[in-house]
Amino acid sequence: MNTIWEYLSFAVHTFLLAIFVLLSSASDSRAGSMDSLNITQLSYQPLNTHSGLYHAQDSSGDTWVRGHIADSLLHHIVLFQNRSIHIMDYDLYAYEDGQLIRLKKNVDRNGLQVKTRYPVYYYIPSATEYYINIRKSDPHELQLFTNEIGRFGQSASLIILYFSMYYGLAIMVILFNVVFYLIFTDLRFITYALLQLSIFLTFFYEDGMLYYFSNQEWILPYFSIWNTSASCVLAAIFTYYFLDLKQHIPFFGKLITIAGISLLATASLYSYSDWWGFNLISLLIRFALPAFCFYQASKLFKTNPYARFLLINFGLLVFVGIGYALYRRYDLNFLSIFNIHTLRLASAIEIVAISFALIFKVRTIREENARYKTELRHYLSLLRLDKELEYEKNKQETSTYTRSAPTDRDQFMLEEIQTQFQLTEREVEVLHHIWKGDSNKEIAEKLCISVHTVKYHVGKLYVKLDVSTRSEVRSLKP
């Protein structure tokens, strides 16, 4: 467990460092002026995945896309935007007053700077044809929207309202899981909180919020490969803890370490070389890791209700995620239901369902602990009766012990409770003194620690023994 937790901490710090490096090295490249090439004379071919769009390459290897706007928008102030975070650095050329010009980005008709989630262009078209220079980007990633300012604003407001509800839910669940972890010290909660944080950042990035809050400066072309890698590792670790797979996968620590290092290496190499082979290797690992966990969960499908629950909820999210990836890549009409909003809805359903499952599981564990505690009390009571005679014979010997040392009988019971509830040595010492009726100050003096430290250990004892008062702790001593 310690190995897994140490790797998780290392992975989080490395991920944040990599993001910092990417932000530091991000550049805002610009193409040459329109006069340096005749964009209208390029050999344009239909873009099969987007009806009405045509693409071509110039002599420098840049990709150009030609499109058309509706006739009804001519001679009106329109707003043009590509709502894909994967193509943020592009230039728009359009006809104004009969001339093909390169338009200014993120500047309205009054010359004022506009703050948006994606780059935006305002202009009054005099012809329906326009051209986009997307550099070396994949034209299949384009998600173009053009409309009058008023109508565009209405649709954007609805979209913001929709995903703001998801953000509120995700933040609430992340905070609740952090609080539950601090209360129960259960790794299920903290790993799920980190997993949801990673998924939250994915949507935050895809929605253009990083671009928006960075004053339109952060263009992170490799963010997805880093963040999805972190999500896959966290999903595997959460599955391991949630389904208690320690007995089923004793080598999980080594597996997750190898997978994490491999993802870290391929993401780094792809970020600096941009070679598709590293991206493919990373993609295979990102699919293989959750697939392995799904396989382990399927083996417990009949015997473990939590395995069934996890497979159904994560399976729904994976199914919608695959549909979304296919739709974004191929733009097929029958896949239009798998848009970003459907993926967000599936994620929200998974968040609520898994959160309730976690709470129910911890409740079940607490009930089991209570039952074990009752059984332990009964066992210790019987043992006391059986050993009473032996304790009396050793009374003279035990009386020579110091006041702070436990008797043979107490020592035996402390060892049993330590094993049953996984207490640390310090917690056992504090428990012994509570049984003797010592106050926190007296315990601090005898153990040579601060009163604050004593209170901390007492709180940990309350959680592990599932009690809330000192009298309940003393009642464990038969």
Side-chain angles (χ1 to χ4, degrees):
M1 180 182 297
N2 290 334
T3 302
I4 298 173
W5 187 248
E6 288 173 2
Y7 169 72
L8 179 60
S9 176
F10 169 76
V12 171
H13 285 86
T14 304
F15 173 74
L16 294 176
L17 178 61
I19 290 298
F20 174 78
V21 172
L22 289 174
L23 291 180
S24 301
S25 61
S27 61
D28 187 19
S29 60
R30 291 290 180 267
S33 66
M34 182 195 66
D35 296 335
S36 65
L37 51 88
N38 192 343
I39 62 178
T40 61
Q41 298 302 315
L42 295 175
S43 179
Y44 289 90
Q45 302 295 325
L47 189 59
N48 296 330
T49 56
H50 293 70
S51 60
L53 294 182
Y54 300 82
H55 67 108
Q57 279 193 335
D58 61 24
S59 57
S60 64
D62 281 357
T63 298
W64 290 81
V65 175
R66 186 181 69 198
H68 296 79
I69 65 172
D71 292 336
S72 59
L73 296 178
L74 292 177
H75 309 298
H76 292 80
I77 300 178
V78 300
L79 187 149
F80 179 96
Q81 191 174 62
N82 172 50
R83 294 180 181 174
S84 171
I85 200 67
H86 304 284
I87 303 180
M88 299 290 281
D89 182 26
Y90 68 94
D91 293 317
L92 173 65
Y93 293 81
Y95 288 95
E96 277 195 317
D97 299 326
Q99 292 185 343
L100 185 63
I101 61 173
R102 176 180 169 180
L103 303 178
K104 292 183 179 180
K105 184 187 301 182
N106 299 328
V107 176
D108 64 14
R109 297 300 296 179
N110 296 320
L112 301 177
Q113 195 73 20
V114 178
K115 189 176 181 179
T116 64
R117 295 184 294 118
Y118 306 101
V120 64
Y121 294 89
Y122 293 82
Y123 74 107
I124 302 177
S126 60
T128 60
E129 198 171 68
Y130 62 82
Y131 298 87
I132 310 173
N133 182 358
I134 61 173
R135 319 284 188 246
K136 304 297 189 294
S137 301
D138 185 357
H140 298 93
E141 296 284 357
L142 287 170
Q143 298 179 29
L144 302 178
F145 291 85
T146 306
N147 212 328
E148 294 184 43
I149 294 179
R151 294 179 181 178
F152 196 97
Q154 292 175 359
S155 63
S157 299
L158 291 175
I159 292 174
I160 292 175
L161 176 63
Y162 185 77
F163 65 60
S164 294
M165 295 173 63
Y166 166 79
Y167 290 154
L169 174 64
I171 292 174
M172 180 182 68
V173 168
I174 291 170
L175 293 177
F176 279 175
N177 277 276
V178 171
V179 171
F180 288 150
Y181 169 73
L182 295 176
I183 295 174
F184 300 113
T185 61
D186 192 315
L187 291 177
R188 297 177 184 89
F189 289 112
I190 193 63
T191 51
Y192 189 66
L194 291 173
L195 173 60
Q196 285 307 317
L197 177 61
S198 180
I199 296 174
F200 173 88
L201 289 176
T202 297
F203 284 110
F204 203 73
Y205 171 71
E206 292 288 339
D207 290 329
M209 302 305 290
L210 288 178
Y211 181 76
Y212 178 85
F213 285 109
S214 67
N215 291 322
Q216 303 165 344
E217 295 180 358
W218 290 0
I219 300 177
L220 311 177
Y222 306 109
F223 181 86
S224 293
I225 189 173
W226 283 93
N227 199 47
T228 53
S229 297
S231 297
C232 289
V233 171
L234 290 169
I237 296 175
F238 170 71
T239 303
Y240 176 80
Y241 287 125
F242 184 68
L243 297 182
D244 299 317
L245 295 177
K246 185 175 182 179
Q247 301 299 325
H248 301 274
I249 318 178
F251 55 88
F252 183 79
K254 295 181 179 178
L255 173 67
I256 201 66
T257 301
I258 293 173
I261 293 175
S262 300
L263 286 171
L264 181 65
T266 52
S268 300
L269 291 170
Y270 179 69
S271 298
Y272 288 102
S273 69
D274 206 25
W275 183 53
W276 65 270
F278 291 127
N279 189 27
L280 178 61
I281 296 173
S282 176
L283 184 63
L284 292 175
I285 299 174
R286 281 179 278 160
F287 271 106
L289 193 57
F292 176 77
C293 294
F294 269 52
Y295 169 71
Q296 294 296 330
S298 64
K299 291 167 62 176
L300 303 174
F301 191 84
K302 293 183 179 179
T303 58
N304 190 331
Y306 294 104
R308 296 194 290 269
F309 190 85
L310 188 70
L311 282 172
I312 292 173
N313 282 276
F314 273 10
L316 172 65
L317 186 60
V318 170
F319 173 73
V320 176
I322 292 174
Y324 170 70
L326 292 174
Y327 172 66
R328 200 182 74 184
R329 177 68 182 177
Y330 298 106
D331 195 29
L332 300 175
N333 290 331
F334 72 92
L335 293 175
S336 60
I337 189 175
F338 296 106
N339 52 44
I340 186 67
H341 304 303
T342 304
L343 182 61
R344 203 191 317 272
L345 177 61
S347 178
I349 294 173
E350 176 267 330
I351 286 175
V352 174
I354 296 295
S355 296
F356 276 113
L358 275 171
I359 295 172
F360 183 79
K361 188 171 180 66
V362 171
R363 176 185 171 187
T364 302
I365 293 174
R366 288 171 63 90
E367 291 174 352
E368 289 178 353
N369 286 341
R371 179 168 56 83
Y372 291 148
K373 183 170 63 177
T374 302
E375 292 176 355
L376 180 62
R377 285 175 179 170
H378 179 66
Y379 172 72
L380 292 176
S381 297
L382 293 177
L383 187 65
R384 183 190 59 179
L385 295 175
D386 292 339
K387 298 291 183 177
E388 190 68 37
L389 205 28
E390 183 179 346
Y391 291 144
E392 288 296 329
K393 290 181 182 179
N394 296 330
K395 185 175 181 182
Q396 185 64 34
E397 180 181 353
T398 56
S399 64
T400 61
Y401 287 9
T402 62
R403 183 173 182 272
S404 62
T407 64
D408 287 346
R409 183 179 63 178
D410 288 351
Q411 183 65 41
F412 180 82
M413 289 186 293
L414 286 170
E415 290 175 356
E416 287 292 323
I417 292 177
Q418 181 181 18
T419 302
Q420 184 68 39
F421 295 98
Q422 299 181 349
L423 304 183
T424 64
E425 292 297 331
R426 180 63 79 185
E427 290 167 352
V428 170
E429 292 176 343
V430 173
L431 175 61
H432 166 62
H433 286 287
I434 291 178
W435 279 3
K436 292 172 58 179
D438 294 341
S439 65
N440 287 345
K441 184 177 180 181
E442 291 172 332
I443 296 174
E445 292 174 352
K446 292 176 181 178
L447 298 182
C448 299
I449 57 178
S450 67
V451 175
H452 177 75
T453 303
V454 173
K455 291 180 179 179
Y456 170 77
H457 290 301
V458 171
K460 298 281 285 186
L461 277 173
Y462 283 3
V463 172
K464 291 186 177 182
L465 300 177
D466 192 21
V467 298
S468 56
T469 63
R470 255 179 157 78
S471 60
E472 289 184 77
V473 176
R474 286 193 288 268
S475 70
L476 292 174
K477 179 180 179 182

